[in-house]
Amino acid sequence: MSKSGEFRSIALIVYRDLTRFWKYKFWLAGQIGMNLADILIYALVFNNMVNTQLIPDYFKFFTTGVIAIAAFASAFSIGREVGIEIRREYTHYLLGLPFTRWVLITGRILGGTLRGLIYQSSFILLAALLVGVPDLYGWLLIAVTSTALSASMSGLAIAISSSTKDFNLQATFRALTYYIFFFFSNVFYPRQVLAMRFPKPLAEAIGYMPVSIAADIYRWAFRYNLEIDIGQRFLLLMVWTTGMLIMASLIYLWNLTRG
Amino acid sequence: MHMPALREDLRGLWLLVIWDLNRMKSRTLFVVMRVSWFALQVSLFGLALSAMVRFRAIAGTNLDYYHFYLFGIYTSMLFSISVSKAYDIAEEFEEGTIEYLLSLPFPRRVLALGRSIGGGIASFLFTLPMFAFIVYLLGSYDPVALTVSMISALAFSIGVVGFVLTVVLSLKSSDSTDIAFGLLDAILVRLSTVFYPALVLSKIAPYYYAALVNPLSHMSDLLRTIFFFEEFKAIAVANPDLMAAYVFGLAVGLSTLAVLVVEKAVEGGGWK
């Protein structure tokens, strides 16, 4: 298959995954409602309770952090469909289509990535409105960070969902991974707060989770927290993304072909 | 009403409750996920939140935010699990089970009441391990407080399931059910005293008034005052008698609404 043919096939797979995304408009509406309620109710009210010596402005802290949650939750949605395909053995049809397995894997991960980016874009604009407009460098960082986070989460969801044909196990693995990324992140609380209540290694480890790293970069890009070592955070995110994409692709490939 | 008819109605009610309880077995996975969510919420999220708030200074209590939070998170879990009955009922409609139930030889009011009570008991039983866990964390084992709080939780759950039944059978659409209850859950939990006391909400007037009428505020503050009356009486949305009346009124009112809707308006078919 020629290179242009491969790109065309990838584009078709991505297009197919995106059109299916709109079928979940009711799930999306619920998700948007939840994220908006988190920002406009929870964060706004909690801002009046938080110790300002620890977090000077919780509303801004949370609004920038929730962008990471938004990308990760929507990119994760592709796992559900991959799970159905594996259970119904629809994957045999996908493997029978005239493109290579790597084209299929790339297309699926890219489809999930675009879902994350599309969903997240409205929250980026909302953050720009509520927190402040980033400069050009900030926008660039946001774009790369969102793409990297969505890609790694899309790959992870695909790898998890394709690991078993058992619906219950698929849903449990996916939900547990989701909970771990959701709670073990600094979206809701900064590292110094975690260090006050938990052993230092745990607090440190949470700071190195991909959702935490992405939240830190967003906070820097929106000028909420300029004390972050942005170079180190960016490098860490790239390492996470590269590692997770390689692992996820290999696992998905193995699961697709193991019979 | 003649005694045989009443006996028949009660038998129908009993069968429906048992039917709902038997369906619990198929929801093991759901319970595992909810319990994991709950365990992470109270062990990580709750502890982290309590480290960053100035609760004692704001609420003027000698208890810390974690105590306040535990009652709130249990209430939100009870509410979410009761609301999740909506998805079960939607599925029953898709599978034709609702039509089957409507055709059974007992009055519609028995069907509505049986499903509300059965669903309420099943949802309450799901949350019992979580309730036991928060009681253990609070270290408060007063038998009267335990009994009253469990009865209140059961009444609350029956009321919510009655409401869910009314809405799902009126909407007759999986998509509308999905969005209506997803949004309702997200908004009601946040616009209540689950995470923050009414005192803090009072700084934003619309949120405060919404929280005052929100059943989740009454349920969570009722639980707080049942266990720690002195500490929480000043920051509750109302006095405990009123909150208890609200919760029991909710159960009776919403179950009655379900009876009215099922008796007067629900017919088989037409599911979208």
Side-chain angles (χ1 to χ4, degrees):
Chain A
M1 186 184 249
S2 66
K3 279 282 168 218
S4 65
E6 283 188 349
F7 284 129
R8 197 170 162 272
S9 298
I10 291 173
L12 274 172
I13 297 166
V14 172
Y15 175 74
R16 170 184 166 277
D17 274 337
L18 277 183
T19 40
R20 285 181 170 208
F21 189 42
W22 306 119
K23 273 172 59 183
Y24 296 107
K25 51 184 179 292
F26 294 98
W27 176 84
L28 276 171
Q31 195 72 29
I32 289 174
M34 197 171 79
N35 287 154
L36 278 178
D38 272 336
I39 295 173
L40 301 175
I41 306 172
Y42 166 81
L44 206 58
V45 177
F46 226 76
N47 198 30
N48 295 313
M49 275 176 81
V50 168
N51 185 343
T52 47
Q53 285 177 333
L54 290 169
I55 310 167
D57 190 331
Y58 189 72
F59 182 69
K60 288 183 177 178
F61 173 84
F62 185 78
T63 304
T64 43
V66 94
I67 300 171
I69 288 282
F72 137 69
S74 51
F76 226 67
S77 73
I78 190 118
R80 209 167 144 191
E81 278 152 68
V82 171
I84 296 170
E85 290 164 5
I86 291 275
R87 278 202 309 282
R88 293 184 183 162
E89 300 195 341
Y90 176 75
T91 41
H92 295 307
Y93 161 74
L94 291 175
L95 288 171
L97 290 173
F99 43 68
T100 64
R101 286 162 189 178
W102 284 107
V103 165
L104 173 65
I105 293 166
T106 311
R108 300 316 297 280
I109 293 177
L110 262 177
T113 308
L114 279 180
R115 284 180 177 199
L117 287 173
I118 290 169
Y119 178 79
Q120 191 204 36
S121 55
S122 54
F123 288 93
I124 292 176
L125 292 176
L126 186 68
L129 205 70
L130 298 172
V131 181
V133 181
D135 57 17
L136 190 63
Y137 182 56
W139 280 119
L140 200 65
L141 261 178
I142 291 168
V144 179
T145 303
S146 296
T147 310
L149 182 69
S150 298
S152 53
M153 291 303 138
S154 154
L156 181 71
I158 289 171
I160 291 169
S161 296
S162 62
S163 297
T164 170
K165 282 185 179 175
D166 185 312
F167 170 70
N168 287 348
L169 278 178
Q170 278 181 356
T172 311
F173 287 160
R174 236 180 10 249
L176 286 176
T177 317
Y178 181 89
Y179 297 161
I180 289 168
F181 278 105
F182 188 84
F183 288 119
F184 288 82
S185 74
N186 62 19
V187 169
F188 293 92
Y189 20 71
R191 199 168 12 182
Q192 64 268 36
V193 166
L194 291 166
M196 286 162 64
R197 285 277 168 145
F198 303 100
K200 205 170 173 247
L202 178 68
E204 284 294 323
I206 289 174
Y208 287 102
M209 296 290 272
V211 175
S212 298
I213 297 169
D216 278 347
I217 299 174
Y218 291 132
R219 283 174 187 137
W220 191 90
F222 280 99
R223 299 174 173 277
Y224 172 74
N225 185 358
L226 295 172
E227 287 168 19
I228 291 163
D229 182 352
I230 192 70
Q232 181 237 39
R233 297 270 97 185
F234 188 75
L235 191 68
L236 276 171
L237 185 69
M238 291 304 125
V239 170
W240 259 109
T241 306
T242 312
M244 281 170 80
L245 282 179
I246 292 171
M247 287 282 289
S249 306
L250 291 174
I251 292 171
Y252 186 37
L253 178 67
W254 190 69
N255 289 332
L256 274 174
T257 51
R258 71 182 155 153
Chain B
M1 185 185 276
H2 297 296
M3 283 310 282
L6 178 65
R7 197 177 303 129
E8 275 303 300
D9 283 0
L10 288 174
R11 188 172 166 274
L13 198 72
W14 169 252
L15 287 173
L16 281 163
V17 170
I18 295 295
W19 189 74
D20 253 317
L21 293 180
N22 280 334
R23 288 177 71 87
M24 278 174 71
K25 289 175 198 157
S26 61
R27 300 179 80 204
T28 320
L29 172 76
F30 174 79
V31 178
V32 169
M33 289 197 288
R34 288 285 168 164
V35 171
S36 334
W37 178 260
F38 184 77
L40 276 171
Q41 281 244 325
V42 296
S43 55
L44 187 81
F45 191 75
L47 281 171
L49 287 194
S50 63
M52 68 188 197
V53 300
R54 302 170 290 118
F55 188 67
R56 289 178 191 221
I58 291 171
T61 163
N62 58 1
L63 287 175
D64 68 14
Y65 176 75
Y66 194 58
H67 289 80
F68 179 88
Y69 171 84
L70 287 176
F71 292 110
I73 200 66
Y74 171 71
T75 305
S76 82
M77 208 49 85
L78 180 67
F79 178 71
S80 297
I81 289 178
S82 306
V83 159
S84 74
K85 265 277 158 196
Y87 308 109
D88 287 355
I89 299 166
E91 204 175 285
E92 286 169 15
F93 233 128
E94 281 179 352
E95 291 168 352
T97 315
I98 292 289
E99 281 84 353
Y100 161 72
L101 290 173
L102 287 170
S103 71
L104 289 174
F106 37 65
R108 292 279 181 95
R109 63 176 178 277
V110 174
L111 174 65
L113 214 54
R115 294 304 309 274
S116 301
I117 296 173
I121 295 174
S123 305
F124 167 70
L125 289 177
F126 271 141
T127 65
L128 262 187
M130 304 174 199
F131 183 75
F133 190 48
I134 68 155
V135 168
Y136 166 74
L137 289 173
L138 292 163
S140 176
Y141 304 101
D142 176 10
V144 177
L146 286 172
T147 312
V148 176
S149 54
M150 284 199 284
I151 293 170
S152 309
L154 179 60
F156 177 79
S157 191
I158 290 172
V160 174
V161 176
F163 174 69
V164 157
L165 196 66
T166 306
V167 175
V168 179
L169 295 186
S170 305
L171 288 176
K172 284 192 171 184
S173 156
S174 303
D175 291 340
S176 305
T177 298
D178 222 7
I179 190 164
F181 286 103
L183 285 175
L184 195 77
D185 196 351
I187 292 171
L188 281 187
V189 169
R190 286 155 188 82
L191 272 184
S192 71
T193 59
V194 160
F195 291 116
Y196 14 74
L199 203 68
V200 175
L201 278 159
S202 66
K203 292 181 180 171
I204 306 168
Y207 292 179
Y208 176 66
Y209 290 113
L212 286 187
V213 292
N214 188 335
L216 276 99
S217 300
H218 286 266
M219 185 62 210
S220 49
D221 279 354
L222 176 65
L223 289 179
R224 287 172 186 131
T225 47
I226 286 173
F227 279 90
F228 300 104
F229 178 73
E230 286 303 325
E231 289 79 0
F232 289 128
K233 66 177 179 188
I235 56 168
V237 286
N239 75 52
D241 294 342
L242 273 179
M243 292 189 290
Y246 184 106
V247 169
F248 287 97
L250 187 88
V252 174
L254 293 177
S255 308
T256 309
L257 185 67
V259 169
L260 287 174
V261 168
V262 174
E263 263 194 333
K264 307 273 184 215
V266 175
E267 287 302 332
W271 185 257
K272 297 183 280 285

